[in-house]
Amino acid sequence: MTQIHNGNGDFVVLMPARDPDKVQVLLPTAAALAHHHNGRVIILGIAQVPEGQPLSDGMLETRRIRAGYDTLRDLNASGVPVSTMIMVAHDLTEGIRTAAKEQAAGMILLGWQADQSSSERLFGPPIDTLLREPPCDVVVIRLQDGERWRRVLLPVRGGPHTPLACEVALALAEQHEAAISVLYAANPRMPDNVAVRESLQALRTMPRVTRWLERTIPAEQAILSEAPDHQAIVLGVTGRQGDPEAPLGPLADRILRHADSTVVLVRHRMAQAEERAQQIWQQHRDLSATVDRWFAENTFSSSEFEDLQRLLALKQQQGVTISLALPTLNEEETIGPIIEQLQAQLVTNTPILDELVLIDSGSDDRTREIAASLGVPVYVHQEILPQYGSFVGKGEALWKSLYVLNGDLIAWCDTDIKNFHPRFVFGVLGPLLRDRRLVYSKGFYRRPLQFGDQLTASGGGRVTELTARPLLNLFYPELSGMLQPLSGEYAGRRTALEQIPFFTGYGVETGMLIDLLEQYGLGALAQVDLLERVHRNQTLVSLSKMAFAITQVVIQRMEQRQRVSLLEPVNQTMKLITQRDDGGFHLELREIRDHERPAMVDIPEYRRLRGIESEAEPRQEG
């Protein structure tokens, strides 16, 4: 049998099951199948959204499924790696197919429990559809009470599903320490196919095979006569001739209805089915649906990570270290309370943070003095890697912070927040600790707008809504579900952050999102609801400069992707409109340009510091 492997080279058994009780029943079987291939198990929860509604409506259902999975314990007790994932889809079958394709699953395990006496077809979706047109090998097991198996019956006829049936029978027999009986039943009304029968003789030497049975009676009769002596039957299945909608032929249908044993049905993926699955996958590639699905699956709430002890346990299990950098420029009003809360909650009470540092950009107030008095290491970004010069801007500070920070996970948090809460930090770290597939997590929140002493409930994030999101919707629609691409609270894996360039000014967040999207894909990004953020609102002139810089970054990335020239030197200056004291106006020409720092991994000093062997000449700065 040809095995399907994912990009990491390991065999994946996909187990759709969202109910924790069903997971516990099915998981030993899934683990046994994965163990047979030195593979792993992915437990799949499907959050269904009614047709006609956007997939983004599945966000709350996704959280409910995650909460159910959180109650599961000892998932890796069998020694087989087990992980969970959640897929949002309009249709259950569609969701399973998509997950199988994305995870390059070698096998899907489905559990089934129904009234055997029913005269109707035994299955419904998704089993019917997946057996008719399997995207990979499919195994269906009828759920029974947890009786220990002593013998497994393996009927064989030399069809296309025989190799898979043998593998499944052996894996499950090893799980139960059971013996295998191989049954070959020749149709008495048809000439015996001697070549097939002789080729099957090799199964006598298969591990755990202790009996070889040959019967010259109809296969159904032979199987049912042997069934009482066996606790399980493993049976390859094909569709019913003349009825393309039927997933089972008459033999498997009758065995399921009349045998009291556990019945395991297997179907090997055929070339025609693979072609059909590819067509379905291509249909699913509709961009709007992809973004909606991402929104539901990868949008978290900071409330999901409020149990800091659980978050600490995840960190310790993974053996990772975490660094937080606080970028500052004249933040004496807010920096003290922010540091004190972080030290109390995330350093002392629950040591989630291994490192907390201040990255200052030349404050001329008491910002650095306050941080140092609280025991926080203080760096001035102009003094880090001075041989490479220094630019003005937050992005420059973030880029240089990569050099001085030590953590495997790195978080940044703005320091002008007036209603600071530790969730601004643990919220963006939570998804990375929960799901190792994610490389970057970004915060979003409600942003009140302050006019003098009055605070309105909304209206903040003007550059986000008027510039950043429209540009991303136009040119990078994959990021159209990112609620606040310019937010200042985010975290990422060092292994990803060190691989991307950083813009030095206002465009740093936008450039980071685009580059991470193109290198790691949308599924590696997450966003987290941090509730509400109150901070110092900027003037319209400042916001205008910010919007201009962000527009340049998007166009620059478009130039590199399309290999067209859109930005001329004149486009890097902006005429700002200012009002004179006499009521008139004048234009002030201002250069607004974000420089592009290279990926930190290309800096020789960083490579030496991190012990990275040089593989090539470093890329030049953009």
Side-chain angles (χ1 to χ4, degrees):
M1 181 187 72
T2 301
Q3 298 177 4
I4 303 175
H5 296 266
N6 70 8
N8 296 324
D10 53 356
F11 188 89
V12 172
V13 176
L14 189 67
M15 190 184 88
R18 54 179 290 173
D19 178 74
D21 291 337
K22 187 175 182 180
V23 170
Q24 298 292 1
V25 172
L26 276 177
L27 186 55
T29 299
L33 296 171
H35 177 75
H36 185 73
H37 293 281
N38 294 318
R40 59 192 176 96
V41 176
I42 296 178
I43 302 170
L44 172 66
I46 303 293
Q48 284 187 261
V49 176
E51 288 288 349
Q53 295 183 17
L55 291 177
S56 55
D57 285 356
M59 181 177 61
L60 294 180
E61 185 64 15
T62 297
R63 291 182 186 172
R64 280 192 285 269
I65 298 173
R66 274 201 296 263
Y69 284 165
D70 285 345
T71 66
L72 298 172
R73 296 291 181 266
D74 301 324
L75 290 182
N76 297 291
S78 64
V80 171
V82 179
S83 61
T84 62
M85 70 173 291
I86 301 171
M87 175 92 39
V88 180
H90 291 303
D91 176 77
L92 187 59
T93 307
E94 168 203 350
I96 296 173
R97 284 189 183 280
T98 301
K101 181 69 179 182
E102 288 186 351
Q103 300 302 317
M107 184 179 291
I108 297 173
L109 175 65
L110 300 164
W112 170 73
Q113 197 166 27
D115 180 5
Q116 299 181 39
S117 65
S118 171
S119 60
E120 301 295 326
R121 284 179 175 162
L122 292 168
F123 307 131
I127 295 178
D128 272 357
T129 311
L130 293 173
L131 281 177
R132 284 198 306 270
E133 297 176 339
C136 59
D137 293 341
V138 175
V139 177
V140 179
I141 183 169
R142 184 168 70 192
L143 302 176
Q144 302 275 76
D145 293 335
E147 178 187 6
R148 187 134 191 109
W149 301 354
R150 300 182 303 279
R151 282 202 161 274
V152 176
L153 183 63
L154 175 61
V156 293
R157 291 181 291 176
H161 309 295
T162 296
L164 177 59
C166 292
E167 288 189 3
V168 170
L170 178 57
L172 300 184
E174 288 177 342
Q175 174 199 2
H176 289 267
E177 299 183 349
I180 298 174
S181 301
V182 179
L183 170 63
Y184 177 75
N187 190 336
R189 299 178 182 177
M190 300 283 291
D192 188 15
N193 190 324
V194 177
V196 170
R197 180 160 53 87
E198 289 181 351
S199 70
L200 292 172
Q201 290 285 335
L203 297 180
R204 288 177 178 268
T205 61
M206 190 172 81
R208 295 197 172 271
V209 172
T210 60
R211 298 172 65 191
W212 173 267
L213 308 172
E214 290 190 25
R215 301 288 185 266
T216 54
I217 56 176
E220 175 193 339
Q221 183 179 343
I223 294 170
L224 290 175
S225 67
E226 295 293 337
D229 294 331
H230 298 79
Q231 290 71 50
I233 304 169
V234 179
L235 191 64
V237 297
T238 56
R240 182 171 301 188
Q241 196 170 19
D243 187 355
E245 295 300 313
L248 301 180
L251 172 63
D253 189 276
R254 293 192 190 107
I255 298 303
L256 277 170
R257 294 180 189 278
H258 298 296
D260 293 329
S261 310
T262 295
V263 179
V264 183
L265 306 178
V266 303
R267 177 143 192 188
H268 175 47
R269 176 186 57 84
M270 309 296 286
Q272 185 177 6
E274 183 180 17
E275 181 179 352
R276 174 61 178 156
Q278 182 65 23
Q279 293 172 355
I280 292 174
W281 169 244
Q282 291 299 329
Q283 293 168 6
H284 184 78
R285 298 279 298 187
D286 173 75
L287 185 58
S288 178
T290 298
V291 173
D292 277 359
R293 211 191 88 204
W294 172 85
F295 185 88
E297 294 172 2
N298 286 31
T299 299
F300 297 80
S301 169
S302 56
S303 63
E304 297 182 63
F305 310 111
E306 287 178 341
D307 186 344
L308 298 183
Q309 289 299 326
R310 181 168 177 270
L311 212 57
L312 177 62
L314 287 173
K315 172 195 167 186
Q316 293 170 340
Q317 288 168 12
Q318 297 170 33
V320 295
T321 55
I322 301 177
S323 296
L324 170 65
L326 300 173
T328 55
L329 178 61
N330 297 326
E331 305 295 355
E332 66 178 5
E333 179 183 347
T334 51
I335 191 61
I338 289 175
I339 290 175
E340 289 170 348
Q341 288 192 62
L342 289 169
Q343 288 177 327
Q345 297 299 319
L346 301 185
V347 177
T348 303
N349 293 350
T350 313
I352 289 174
L353 296 179
D354 299 286
E355 184 178 34
L356 170 62
V357 306
L358 192 85
I359 305 291
D360 190 67
S361 294
S363 297
D364 55 17
D365 64 0
R366 298 180 59 253
T367 297
R368 295 198 298 273
E369 178 184 339
I370 292 170
S373 71
L374 294 171
V376 173
V378 175
Y379 295 88
V380 177
H381 90 242
Q382 291 86 346
E383 299 172 0
I384 301 171
L385 295 172
Q387 62 272 40
Y388 292 96
S390 186
F391 295 106
V392 174
K394 175 185 174 184
E396 176 82 346
L398 301 187
W399 181 71
K400 289 190 170 182
S401 73
L402 280 178
Y403 183 74
V404 299
L405 295 172
N406 297 302
D408 303 307
L409 302 183
I410 294 174
W412 291 288
C413 180
D414 280 350
T415 50
D416 62 343
I417 305 172
K418 298 180 179 180
N419 66 327
F420 182 81
H421 187 279
R423 66 171 173 270
F424 286 95
V425 175
F426 70 68
V428 295
L429 289 169
L432 300 178
L433 291 171
R434 183 187 186 104
D435 191 339
R436 300 190 190 193
R437 295 174 302 163
L438 299 173
V439 303
Y440 186 70
S441 171
K442 193 167 187 65
F444 69 91
Y445 26 65
R446 292 179 297 280
R447 297 180 69 174
L449 187 61
Q450 189 160 10
F451 293 97
D453 295 332
Q454 294 187 348
L455 195 67
T456 61
S458 61
R462 289 163 286 176
V463 176
T464 294
E465 294 303 326
L466 298 177
T467 301
R469 295 198 73 251
L471 284 172
L472 293 176
N473 271 266
L474 277 171
F475 300 117
Y476 293 91
E478 302 97 323
L479 295 172
S480 59
M482 192 69 69
L483 293 180
Q484 284 176 339
L486 306 183
S487 70
E489 289 67 49
Y490 35 86
R493 299 190 189 280
R494 175 184 292 276
T495 51
L497 296 170
E498 68 184 7
Q499 297 289 335
I500 61 172
F502 277 53
F503 286 94
T504 57
Y506 294 125
V508 61
E509 286 93 2
T510 304
M512 194 180 296
L513 270 178
I514 293 172
D515 292 336
L516 288 170
L517 169 73
E518 293 190 333
Q519 287 202 36
Y520 298 95
L522 182 62
L525 312 180
Q527 61 181 350
V528 186
D529 186 356
L530 303 179
L531 303 183
E532 184 176 88
R533 183 185 194 269
V534 180
H535 68 131
R536 181 179 62 247
N537 297 116
Q538 299 195 50
T539 65
L540 280 176
V541 172
S542 296
L543 296 178
S544 180
K545 292 189 289 185
M546 183 184 299
F548 189 73
I550 290 164
T551 303
Q552 285 189 57
V553 166
V554 173
I555 292 176
Q556 185 170 328
R557 282 293 180 260
M558 287 297 296
E559 285 184 326
Q560 293 166 350
R561 175 191 275 186
Q562 304 296 336
R563 298 185 180 277
V564 296
S565 180
L566 300 174
L567 283 177
E568 298 294 337
V570 69
N571 299 130
Q572 294 168 359
T573 59
M574 182 180 184
K575 289 183 172 64
L576 298 176
I577 303 172
T578 58
Q579 189 170 9
R580 299 194 304 261
D581 293 339
D582 61 4
F585 296 90
H586 77 273
L587 297 178
E588 177 186 350
L589 188 64
R590 184 81 59 85
E591 180 179 348
I592 300 173
R593 178 190 174 195
D594 269 15
H595 299 272
E596 186 176 350
R597 288 296 199 177
M600 183 58 76
V601 76
D602 287 339
I603 300 298
E605 292 85 350
Y606 178 84
R607 299 179 71 85
R608 288 194 294 269
L609 181 67
R610 308 299 302 179
I612 302 172
E613 294 184 7
S614 181
E615 298 174 355
E617 290 297 321
R619 295 188 294 264
Q620 297 300 313
E621 289 188 29

